[in-house]
Amino acid sequence: MSQNKTVPTGASAEAFLAAVEPERKALEAQQLDTLFRQATGFAPQMWGASIVGYGRYHYRYATGREGDFLATGFSPRKARHSIYIMPGYQDYGAILSRLGKHKLGKSCLYVNKLADIDLAVLAELIQTGLKDLDALWPVRPN
């Protein structure tokens, strides 16, 4: 069976966030780190080269595939922030309708700048996603 390409690393999340460019993106990444810490109660851990994750879970599918993955997190990409909510956004339409300007992927929310969204609604979305994920697979600290 194949292994996940995105795995936890020993890299410092603080050092990664301090090196984000441009400055506006770095300041927003620091805001997101604070929000994720408060919303989850978890310390950050780097997953791969550019994802800051909070919490983790172990999954096992009916096919037998299993592994560990970040419970929630974000990546301050050049074009926009990628925000990861597991198990996806399919059930979160009511929350997303109050969030503000964003685009969706399967388990990823894209935001150009934090001024475009309501951060309290984002915190609600993070907490709801963690609760729903924990009902499927127990979420634990990194």
Side-chain angles (χ1 to χ4, degrees):
M1 291 219 181
S2 65
Q3 299 294 314
N4 285 337
K5 293 179 185 175
T6 304
V7 296
T9 70
S12 163
E14 290 81 4
F16 169 76
L17 293 171
V20 170
E21 292 185 353
E23 184 178 352
R24 177 187 66 82
K25 188 70 70 173
L27 292 171
E28 290 185 344
Q30 293 291 338
Q31 280 182 275
L32 284 171
D33 177 49
T34 299
L35 182 125
F36 271 87
R37 286 174 187 255
Q38 291 172 346
T40 67
F42 298 136
Q45 178 178 28
M46 291 302 300
W47 287 73
S50 63
I51 298 175
V52 184
Y54 301 82
R56 67 189 309 151
Y57 66 99
H58 183 82
Y59 62 88
R60 181 175 292 125
Y61 298 133
T63 62
R65 179 180 166 91
E66 66 180 296
D68 293 298
F69 206 65
L70 63 118
T72 190
F74 72 95
S75 181
R77 309 252 187 229
K78 285 189 190 262
R80 54 194 174 197
H81 297 288
S82 298
I83 299 171
Y84 303 96
I85 305 291
M86 309 306 173
Y89 291 94
Q90 63 275 20
D91 300 321
Y92 306 128
I95 298 172
L96 290 169
S97 69
R98 298 183 284 114
L99 182 63
K101 187 177 175 184
H102 66 278
K103 292 185 178 180
L104 290 178
K106 185 174 180 181
S107 292
C108 192
L109 174 75
Y110 301 106
V111 175
N112 290 336
K113 57 186 184 291
L114 296 187
D116 289 342
I117 63 169
D118 183 324
L119 295 179
V121 174
L122 178 58
E124 178 186 348
L125 180 63
I126 292 165
Q127 291 170 335
T128 302
L130 280 178
K131 181 177 146 245
D132 290 348
L133 178 62
D134 192 58
L136 294 171
W137 296 293
V139 174
R140 62 187 196 275
N142 293 322

